[in-house]
Amino acid sequence: MVKSEIKRNVSNDRASTILVSNPNLSPQSTRREVMKAIDPAAQGIKIRAMRTKGKEGVVLATASQEDNVKIQSNVQLRNAGFTVQESMGDNPRLRVHGVQAELAPEEFARAAFAQNFQGKWTESMFRASFKPLFKTGKRDLDTVIWVVETSPEMRRAVLNQGRLYIKWDSCWVADFVRVSRCFKCQAFDHVAKFCRGVEICKHCAAEGHKEEACPAKNEPPKCSNCRRAKEDDGHAVTSENCPAYNWAVRKRLRRTNYGKEAEQQGTQQPPTPCPRNCDSAGNAKRDREEASPQGPSEKRVISDLDRPEPPVTPRRRSEGTEIAWKELCRHCFKYGHTTSQCLSLVAACEHCGLEGHKVETCPNRGSSTRCVQCIRLKLKKDATKHSVLTQEICPAYIMHIKLVNK
Ligand SMILES: [Zn+2]
Ligand SMILES: [Zn+2]
Ligand SMILES: [Zn+2]
Ligand SMILES: [Zn+2]
Ligand SMILES: [Zn+2]
Ligand SMILES: [Zn+2]
């Protein structure tokens, strides 16, 4: 079960993860000093992974609670001015769709409070747990997607409400799970400014040149992250279906603190990453043929969080995967996940079949309905003239179901 695996990983990681911090040191020197103070071999400590968590310090994932106690009672660390505490993981992020582009962060946050949480939260509590990070979405639209860092409690409150009223708009909200990719070395989870890797070509995956100077420009793209993980590298490093990218997303989910309640009761669970290749019937087929018989192994789950790891491939249906193959997402209108699990930033329109807007704001309401699934499959125009929701006559749906049931 994909969902419960992620849930289990979240709690596993939480139970044996600690944060070592010293506000006077830079992330790099924190790391160096921690490695000086702790001697895993001498003290018999099992370290699964170490990573810097921005200015907050260094996160150590250990094999057990026992290892944590050893680190927490390390005298050298204390004497060097470090504080050691259980790490709660990263705060979750939400995306708020359809916010007027010209709103300043301050205005956006004030409206989010006044129109949605006044009387339920105090303003200072709200502002401490709702931090606008950045805007994203397609350029030259008059609305944007705001990405917000929230506390686990705030995330739950916002998702329960399903939307945020911002000025004159009712804005759709969902989890935001994206992993940044470095423009220099193409690896995940850092940006070029902090890159310690070598220059890798975005197009051909070779070292030592930029994409603009690529000698293999006319050949199909190669993915350097999948090559490093010894997976099939025959796709662009930017592909949404990249196994390495999807693995990085899962890793991000494990590191995120969705709150105790989410772990215990299963309410507002961490989002499930899109199963790869859920975009069209053809891709789903290829995926099923390649699917490996084993699921993610324990070894993979606990390997070094700082290194790219071999990605997980979804298991075959017959072996008990819970991927919702037949589910049609009402946000991106792709198969294989529910609307609440959708990780796509681009909405699709159930009326005109185009991407980038929802039916509520469709500029093509005057013309006839076209099916977004069938447009994606590049069917002839006449074959697309039906609603994506009338699945009994939709060629894309019929093809998809045939492949899923095979
Ligand atoms: Zn890099
Ligand atoms: Zn190249
Ligand atoms: Zn890849
Ligand atoms: Zn979706
Ligand atoms: Zn439309
Ligand atoms: Zn169709």
Side-chain angles (χ1 to χ4, degrees):
M1 250 185 77
V2 174
K3 247 187 192 165
S4 73
E5 255 159 25
I6 289 169
K7 237 172 80 189
R8 197 196 62 214
N9 294 345
V10 169
S11 29
N12 269 0
D13 272 18
R14 192 74 32 73
S16 49
T17 310
I18 54 172
L19 175 69
V20 185
S21 45
N22 185 335
N24 303 321
L25 295 178
S26 72
Q28 278 76 18
S29 23
T30 302
R31 198 182 171 105
R32 208 171 39 238
E33 293 303 313
V34 166
M35 288 177 79
K36 249 191 246 165
I38 301 174
D39 184 348
Q43 294 152 27
I45 300 171
K46 300 179 195 69
I47 306 279
R48 289 170 19 200
M50 170 158 82
R51 67 178 174 98
T52 46
K53 190 183 173 190
K55 288 176 202 134
E56 283 184 63
V58 168
V59 173
L60 293 169
T62 60
S64 71
Q65 200 63 40
E66 203 185 314
D67 296 303
N68 284 0
V69 174
K70 285 182 190 165
I71 295 172
Q72 272 164 327
S73 51
N74 184 305
V75 183
Q76 244 175 298
L77 271 183
R78 305 226 165 233
N79 290 348
F82 282 93
T83 54
V84 184
Q85 56 186 312
E86 293 236 340
S87 167
M88 291 310 292
D90 299 342
N91 270 331
R93 291 171 172 196
L94 291 177
R95 55 201 155 100
V96 186
H97 285 251
V99 181
Q100 291 305 314
E102 72 269 8
L103 276 195
E106 178 58 30
E107 262 181 300
F108 166 64
R110 211 179 308 129
F113 171 69
Q115 292 174 259
N116 301 276
F117 290 98
Q118 199 143 42
K120 300 180 203 159
W121 293 58
T122 67
E123 182 155 13
S124 58
M125 263 169 72
F126 177 84
R127 296 301 285 270
S129 48
F130 185 96
K131 294 179 187 146
L133 295 178
F134 55 88
K135 299 186 247 191
T136 177
K138 283 200 171 160
R139 273 159 202 258
D140 56 67
L141 287 181
D142 47 8
T143 63
V144 294
I145 301 163
W146 259 105
V147 176
V148 182
E149 183 186 319
T150 66
S151 66
E153 298 73 32
M154 176 56 70
R155 166 181 175 267
R156 228 169 3 252
V158 172
L159 288 182
N160 280 340
Q161 193 170 300
R163 44 192 59 250
L164 283 178
Y165 298 97
I166 305 288
K167 299 274 177 172
W168 290 92
D169 299 304
S170 161
C171 302
W172 187 73
V173 290
D175 281 305
F176 178 86
V177 188
R178 286 270 131 162
V179 176
S180 52
R181 184 175 46 79
C182 172
F183 289 136
K184 188 182 155 211
C185 76
Q186 312 300 334
F188 298 117
D189 262 340
H190 67 271
V191 289
K193 201 175 148 194
F194 301 109
C195 182
R196 285 178 289 168
V198 293
E199 178 97 53
I200 289 182
C201 175
K202 183 179 164 191
H203 181 73
C204 75
E207 281 183 16
H209 65 265
K210 282 196 199 307
E211 188 190 12
E212 299 81 65
C214 182
K217 250 182 203 158
N218 298 324
E219 273 150 55
K222 295 273 178 224
C223 170
S224 52
N225 291 319
C226 285
R227 178 177 292 182
R228 203 175 311 142
K230 301 205 165 51
E231 287 284 316
D232 177 10
D233 63 0
H235 54 267
V237 71
T238 51
S239 164
E240 278 205 20
N241 295 331
C242 166
Y245 176 74
N246 282 297
W247 179 251
V249 168
R250 279 162 205 261
K251 200 163 76 177
R252 166 64 56 84
L253 290 174
R254 288 205 307 271
R255 281 183 194 169
T256 305
N257 175 17
Y258 288 104
K260 280 217 171 65
E261 226 169 278
E263 285 166 38
Q264 286 161 3
Q265 302 170 0
T267 51
Q268 298 292 4
Q269 281 175 345
T272 313
C274 278
R276 61 193 185 111
N277 300 339
C278 57
D279 55 342
S280 72
N283 277 340
K285 178 173 185 246
R286 207 194 67 208
D287 197 37
R288 280 163 53 73
E289 279 165 354
E290 285 171 3
S292 81
Q294 338 83 10
S297 66
E298 196 60 22
K299 207 168 71 215
R300 284 178 172 180
V301 170
I302 59 172
S303 58
D304 187 341
L305 295 173
D306 279 338
R307 242 181 291 146
E309 290 163 78
V312 185
T313 29
R315 283 172 292 179
R316 280 170 201 277
R317 241 160 46 89
S318 56
E319 279 150 39
T321 171
E322 293 273 310
I323 288 172
W325 290 107
K326 292 183 189 174
E327 207 70 56
L328 176 65
C329 171
R330 296 296 182 96
H331 175 64
C332 69
F333 286 96
K334 291 178 183 175
Y335 287 112
H337 60 273
T338 63
T339 312
S340 61
Q341 295 167 347
C342 183
L343 300 178
S344 175
L345 287 182
V346 183
C349 176
E350 66 176 80
H351 177 68
C352 71
L354 298 182
E355 293 182 339
H357 65 267
K358 309 267 295 176
V359 62
E360 292 86 356
T361 55
C362 180
N364 306 314
R365 282 194 201 201
S367 46
S368 60
T369 301
R370 291 182 64 199
C371 168
V372 49
Q373 281 286 338
C374 290
I375 291 175
R376 284 190 188 126
L377 283 182
K378 299 198 169 58
L379 297 188
K380 289 214 183 77
K381 195 169 178 190
D382 276 343
T384 66
K385 284 186 178 164
H386 56 267
S387 161
V388 65
L389 300 175
T390 50
Q391 296 182 321
E392 55 293 354
I393 59 157
C394 168
Y397 178 76
I398 293 166
M399 265 165 76
H400 176 72
I401 286 305
K402 265 192 201 152
L403 292 166
V404 167
N405 287 338
K406 234 179 208 167

